[in-house]
Amino acid sequence: MKKYNIPVEAALEVIGGKWKVVILCHLIKDKRRTGELKRLMPGITQKMLTQQLRELEDDGVILREVYNQVPPRVEYSLTDYGWSLKGILDSLCAWGEQHIEKTYPNKDDVLVQTEELV
Amino acid sequence: MKKYNIPVEAALEVIGGKWKVVILCHLIKDKRRTGELKRLMPGITQKMLTQQLRELEDDGVILREVYNQVPPRVEYSLTDYGWSLKGILDSLCAWGEQHIEKTYPNKDDVLVQTEELV
DNA sequence: CTTAATTGTTACTTAAAAGTACCTACATTA
DNA sequence: TAATGTAGGTACTTTTAAGTAACAATTAAG
């Protein structure tokens, strides 16, 4: 069994890595289909996306709902347990924003506009 | 120049990775010498530790103070800017704790006792 | 004059994360 | 009957992160 030196490592195991926080930040705003998430995250590949989604699902923070349709329709949303991360996600987003403002004179240099794409 | 799709990615660039949050969680409690941090983080190597500390220093969240002694004495502490992460770090730690409690029947199975070592 | 103590560096190697390219399924539509 | 749209799987490769092991600097103590 995995051992942690301090409890915060357990949190990092759930939301650590390059993509999970980003995914959760999108899902905190809205329930999303796979394709929407892909459009919201231009950098991610199909493989990475499903892989990360599976792990988040296994950890109980997101819910995967499959509608029996063709072509398939799958929606991802936060579980109640996932919502317990809201405080963390909100402050992370806020800190990121002000960090950009602090670090770069005008944020248009570092922020790609993709929010409106979906 | 680096581009982000959403601002939270900027935060992840500063505190992402396997070690930075852990280091910051220790420094939020106390100013620490290099050797103390090493003892608090049994898994980390000298190389990783200094590397992560340098990056945190470059990002302005920690301060490195060198005392002119032999053998050398170096102390690390949070900067004012680093303290702006306190909310995030606190909630991450708290979430990790309750996640362990939720996930494992008794946390002694997953938590190594090292807090008292320093 | 050798050893210990503390912090740090460097070249090299290994392990983990991420990316690429191609494949499946299946009703609908043209 | 061939193409479309959506979600996902897989084998393989590349890239990045992390780990290993050896070395440097300095001065006090033995």
Side-chain angles (χ1 to χ4, degrees):
Chain A
M1 189 182 282
K2 183 118 186 53
K3 290 270 184 178
Y4 306 112
N5 290 298
I6 53 172
V8 76
E9 291 176 337
L12 296 179
E13 197 155 87
V14 176
I15 63 167
K18 186 176 176 181
W19 296 112
K20 287 179 181 171
V21 166
V22 177
I23 291 173
L24 293 173
C25 283
H26 286 303
L27 292 184
I28 215 167
K29 292 186 194 155
D30 246 318
K31 170 180 295 202
R32 292 291 190 187
R33 297 184 60 178
T34 312
E36 292 180 308
L37 286 173
K38 254 195 292 192
R39 278 188 291 280
L40 285 167
M41 298 183 279
I44 204 169
T45 59
Q46 168 79 54
K47 179 202 156 198
M48 268 293 120
L49 179 58
T50 40
Q51 180 178 311
Q52 303 298 303
L53 288 169
R54 287 296 169 281
E55 293 178 8
L56 289 169
E57 195 190 358
D58 291 344
D59 283 321
V61 296
I62 69 171
L63 175 71
R64 177 170 182 264
E65 288 177 288
V66 184
Y67 297 83
N68 207 15
Q69 302 178 0
V70 171
R73 173 186 190 83
V74 178
E75 280 185 353
Y76 294 95
S77 55
L78 293 187
T79 60
D80 286 348
Y81 194 50
W83 279 105
S84 71
L85 288 164
K86 177 167 167 46
I88 293 168
L89 298 171
D90 283 348
S91 14
L92 267 178
C93 290
W95 198 89
E97 279 187 47
Q98 67 85 34
H99 181 66
I100 287 175
E101 276 165 31
K102 185 209 167 200
T103 311
Y104 307 95
N106 65 329
K107 59 182 178 183
D108 295 336
D109 290 343
V110 286
L111 270 184
V112 182
Q113 281 76 22
T114 39
E115 299 308 291
E116 302 81 357
L117 292 182
V118 177
Chain B
M1 187 182 281
K2 182 119 187 52
K3 290 270 185 180
Y4 306 113
N5 290 299
I6 53 171
V8 75
E9 292 176 336
L12 296 178
E13 197 154 88
V14 176
I15 64 167
K18 187 176 174 182
W19 297 112
K20 286 180 181 171
V21 166
V22 177
I23 291 172
L24 293 173
C25 284
H26 286 303
L27 292 184
I28 215 168
K29 293 187 192 154
D30 246 320
K31 170 180 297 201
R32 291 292 190 186
R33 297 185 60 179
T34 313
E36 291 179 309
L37 286 172
K38 254 195 292 190
R39 279 188 292 281
L40 286 166
M41 296 183 280
I44 204 170
T45 59
Q46 169 77 55
K47 179 203 156 195
M48 266 294 123
L49 179 57
T50 41
Q51 180 179 309
Q52 303 299 302
L53 288 168
R54 287 295 169 281
E55 293 179 8
L56 289 170
E57 196 192 355
D58 291 345
D59 283 322
V61 296
I62 69 170
L63 176 70
R64 178 171 180 262
E65 287 177 288
V66 184
Y67 296 82
N68 206 14
Q69 301 177 0
V70 171
R73 173 188 189 82
V74 178
E75 280 185 354
Y76 294 94
S77 55
L78 293 188
T79 59
D80 286 348
Y81 194 50
W83 279 105
S84 71
L85 289 164
K86 179 167 166 45
I88 293 168
L89 297 171
D90 283 348
S91 14
L92 267 178
C93 290
W95 197 90
E97 279 187 48
Q98 67 83 36
H99 181 65
I100 286 176
E101 276 164 31
K102 186 207 167 204
T103 311
Y104 307 95
N106 65 329
K107 59 181 178 180
D108 295 336
D109 290 342
V110 287
L111 269 184
V112 182
Q113 281 76 24
T114 39
E115 300 307 292
E116 302 82 356
L117 291 182
V118 178

Short mmCIF file of all heavy atoms in Angstrom, two decimals, chain A residues 55-78:
data_model
loop_
_atom_site.label_atom_id
_atom_site.label_comp_id
_atom_site.label_asym_id
_atom_site.label_seq_id
_atom_site.Cartn_x
_atom_site.Cartn_y
_atom_site.Cartn_z
N GLU A 55 -9.16 8.24 -14.28
CA GLU A 55 -8.54 8.28 -12.96
C GLU A 55 -9.36 9.13 -11.99
O GLU A 55 -9.54 8.78 -10.82
CB GLU A 55 -7.10 8.80 -13.07
CG GLU A 55 -6.19 7.83 -13.82
CD GLU A 55 -4.75 8.34 -13.98
OE1 GLU A 55 -4.42 9.38 -13.38
OE2 GLU A 55 -3.98 7.71 -14.70
N LEU A 56 -9.86 10.24 -12.51
CA LEU A 56 -10.70 11.09 -11.66
C LEU A 56 -11.98 10.36 -11.27
O LEU A 56 -12.47 10.49 -10.15
CB LEU A 56 -11.04 12.40 -12.40
CG LEU A 56 -9.87 13.38 -12.58
CD1 LEU A 56 -10.25 14.50 -13.53
CD2 LEU A 56 -9.45 13.95 -11.23
N GLU A 57 -12.50 9.59 -12.21
CA GLU A 57 -13.69 8.80 -11.92
C GLU A 57 -13.38 7.74 -10.86
O GLU A 57 -14.13 7.56 -9.90
CB GLU A 57 -14.17 8.14 -13.22
CG GLU A 57 -15.59 7.60 -13.15
CD GLU A 57 -15.91 6.74 -14.36
OE1 GLU A 57 -15.06 6.61 -15.26
OE2 GLU A 57 -17.02 6.17 -14.38
N ASP A 58 -12.26 7.06 -11.04
CA ASP A 58 -11.86 6.03 -10.08
C ASP A 58 -11.67 6.62 -8.67
O ASP A 58 -11.92 5.94 -7.67
CB ASP A 58 -10.56 5.35 -10.52
CG ASP A 58 -10.75 4.50 -11.77
OD1 ASP A 58 -11.92 4.20 -12.10
OD2 ASP A 58 -9.75 4.14 -12.41
N ASP A 59 -11.21 7.86 -8.61
CA ASP A 59 -11.03 8.48 -7.30
C ASP A 59 -12.32 9.09 -6.77
O ASP A 59 -12.34 9.68 -5.70
CB ASP A 59 -9.93 9.56 -7.39
CG ASP A 59 -8.54 8.94 -7.42
OD1 ASP A 59 -8.32 7.96 -6.69
OD2 ASP A 59 -7.67 9.42 -8.16
N GLY A 60 -13.38 8.97 -7.55
CA GLY A 60 -14.68 9.38 -7.04
C GLY A 60 -14.99 10.87 -7.12
O GLY A 60 -15.96 11.33 -6.53
N VAL A 61 -14.19 11.62 -7.85
CA VAL A 61 -14.44 13.06 -7.91
C VAL A 61 -15.29 13.48 -9.12
O VAL A 61 -15.87 14.55 -9.11
CB VAL A 61 -13.14 13.89 -7.85
CG1 VAL A 61 -12.45 13.68 -6.52
CG2 VAL A 61 -12.22 13.54 -8.98
N ILE A 62 -15.34 12.64 -10.14
CA ILE A 62 -16.23 12.97 -11.25
C ILE A 62 -17.12 11.78 -11.59
O ILE A 62 -16.82 10.63 -11.24
CB ILE A 62 -15.47 13.41 -12.53
CG1 ILE A 62 -14.71 12.24 -13.16
CG2 ILE A 62 -14.54 14.57 -12.25
CD1 ILE A 62 -14.14 12.57 -14.51
N LEU A 63 -18.21 12.12 -12.27
CA LEU A 63 -19.19 11.11 -12.67
C LEU A 63 -19.25 11.04 -14.19
O LEU A 63 -19.22 12.06 -14.88
CB LEU A 63 -20.57 11.51 -12.13
CG LEU A 63 -21.75 10.62 -12.54
CD1 LEU A 63 -21.67 9.28 -11.84
CD2 LEU A 63 -23.06 11.33 -12.22
N ARG A 64 -19.29 9.83 -14.70
CA ARG A 64 -19.37 9.61 -16.14
C ARG A 64 -20.74 9.04 -16.46
O ARG A 64 -21.13 8.00 -15.96
CB ARG A 64 -18.28 8.63 -16.56
CG ARG A 64 -18.29 8.25 -18.02
CD ARG A 64 -17.03 7.47 -18.38
NE ARG A 64 -17.00 7.13 -19.78
CZ ARG A 64 -17.41 5.96 -20.28
NH1 ARG A 64 -17.90 5.04 -19.48
NH2 ARG A 64 -17.35 5.72 -21.57
N GLU A 65 -21.49 9.77 -17.30
CA GLU A 65 -22.82 9.33 -17.67
C GLU A 65 -22.87 9.04 -19.16
O GLU A 65 -22.59 9.92 -19.98
CB GLU A 65 -23.86 10.40 -17.32
CG GLU A 65 -24.11 10.53 -15.82
CD GLU A 65 -25.08 11.65 -15.54
OE1 GLU A 65 -24.69 12.84 -15.68
OE2 GLU A 65 -26.23 11.35 -15.17
N VAL A 66 -23.25 7.82 -19.49
CA VAL A 66 -23.32 7.41 -20.89
C VAL A 66 -24.77 7.35 -21.33
O VAL A 66 -25.59 6.68 -20.69
CB VAL A 66 -22.68 6.02 -21.08
CG1 VAL A 66 -22.67 5.65 -22.56
CG2 VAL A 66 -21.28 5.99 -20.50
N TYR A 67 -25.08 8.07 -22.40
CA TYR A 67 -26.43 8.01 -22.96
C TYR A 67 -26.44 7.02 -24.10
O TYR A 67 -25.54 7.03 -24.93
CB TYR A 67 -26.87 9.39 -23.44
CG TYR A 67 -26.96 10.38 -22.32
CD1 TYR A 67 -25.82 11.05 -21.86
CD2 TYR A 67 -28.18 10.65 -21.70
CE1 TYR A 67 -25.90 11.95 -20.82
CE2 TYR A 67 -28.26 11.55 -20.66
CZ TYR A 67 -27.12 12.20 -20.22
OH TYR A 67 -27.21 13.08 -19.20
N ASN A 68 -27.43 6.19 -24.13
CA ASN A 68 -27.46 5.13 -25.13
C ASN A 68 -27.93 5.67 -26.48
O ASN A 68 -29.07 5.52 -26.86
CB ASN A 68 -28.36 3.99 -24.65
CG ASN A 68 -27.94 2.67 -25.25
OD1 ASN A 68 -26.83 2.57 -25.78
ND2 ASN A 68 -28.80 1.68 -25.17
N GLN A 69 -27.00 6.30 -27.16
CA GLN A 69 -27.32 6.92 -28.45
C GLN A 69 -26.24 6.60 -29.46
O GLN A 69 -25.13 6.22 -29.11
CB GLN A 69 -27.37 8.45 -28.31
CG GLN A 69 -28.35 8.98 -27.29
CD GLN A 69 -28.27 10.49 -27.20
OE1 GLN A 69 -27.47 11.11 -27.90
NE2 GLN A 69 -29.10 11.07 -26.35
N VAL A 70 -26.57 6.80 -30.70
CA VAL A 70 -25.57 6.75 -31.74
C VAL A 70 -25.72 7.99 -32.59
O VAL A 70 -26.81 8.27 -33.07
CB VAL A 70 -25.74 5.51 -32.63
CG1 VAL A 70 -24.81 5.62 -33.83
CG2 VAL A 70 -25.44 4.24 -31.86
N PRO A 71 -24.59 8.75 -32.75
CA PRO A 71 -23.27 8.55 -32.12
C PRO A 71 -23.33 8.73 -30.61
O PRO A 71 -24.22 9.43 -30.12
CB PRO A 71 -22.40 9.61 -32.77
CG PRO A 71 -23.32 10.62 -33.33
CD PRO A 71 -24.60 9.95 -33.60
N PRO A 72 -22.41 8.11 -29.91
CA PRO A 72 -22.46 8.10 -28.44
C PRO A 72 -22.44 9.51 -27.81
O PRO A 72 -21.93 10.45 -28.40
CB PRO A 72 -21.22 7.32 -28.04
CG PRO A 72 -20.39 7.17 -29.26
CD PRO A 72 -21.27 7.34 -30.42
N ARG A 73 -23.03 9.60 -26.65
CA ARG A 73 -23.04 10.84 -25.91
C ARG A 73 -22.62 10.52 -24.47
O ARG A 73 -23.26 9.70 -23.81
CB ARG A 73 -24.44 11.44 -25.91
CG ARG A 73 -24.59 12.65 -25.01
CD ARG A 73 -26.05 13.10 -24.94
NE ARG A 73 -26.14 14.40 -24.27
CZ ARG A 73 -25.96 15.56 -24.89
NH1 ARG A 73 -25.68 15.58 -26.17
NH2 ARG A 73 -26.04 16.68 -24.21
N VAL A 74 -21.54 11.14 -24.04
CA VAL A 74 -21.03 10.90 -22.69
C VAL A 74 -20.86 12.23 -22.00
O VAL A 74 -20.28 13.16 -22.57
CB VAL A 74 -19.68 10.15 -22.73
CG1 VAL A 74 -19.14 9.94 -21.32
CG2 VAL A 74 -19.82 8.82 -23.45
N GLU A 75 -21.37 12.33 -20.79
CA GLU A 75 -21.25 13.59 -20.04
C GLU A 75 -20.49 13.37 -18.74
O GLU A 75 -20.73 12.39 -18.03
CB GLU A 75 -22.64 14.15 -19.72
CG GLU A 75 -23.24 14.89 -20.90
CD GLU A 75 -24.56 15.55 -20.53
OE1 GLU A 75 -25.07 15.30 -19.42
OE2 GLU A 75 -25.09 16.28 -21.37
N TYR A 76 -19.62 14.31 -18.47
CA TYR A 76 -18.85 14.28 -17.23
C TYR A 76 -19.27 15.42 -16.33
O TYR A 76 -19.49 16.54 -16.79
CB TYR A 76 -17.35 14.38 -17.54
CG TYR A 76 -16.82 13.18 -18.29
CD1 TYR A 76 -16.71 13.20 -19.68
CD2 TYR A 76 -16.43 12.03 -17.61
CE1 TYR A 76 -16.23 12.10 -20.37
CE2 TYR A 76 -15.95 10.93 -18.29
CZ TYR A 76 -15.85 10.98 -19.68
OH TYR A 76 -15.37 9.88 -20.35
N SER A 77 -19.35 15.11 -15.04
CA SER A 77 -19.71 16.16 -14.06
C SER A 77 -19.03 15.83 -12.74
O SER A 77 -18.53 14.73 -12.53
CB SER A 77 -21.23 16.19 -13.88
OG SER A 77 -21.70 14.91 -13.51
N LEU A 78 -19.01 16.80 -11.85
CA LEU A 78 -18.44 16.58 -10.53
C LEU A 78 -19.40 15.76 -9.68
O LEU A 78 -20.61 15.94 -9.74
CB LEU A 78 -18.17 17.91 -9.82
CG LEU A 78 -17.09 18.81 -10.40
CD1 LEU A 78 -16.84 19.99 -9.46
CD2 LEU A 78 -15.79 18.06 -10.63
#
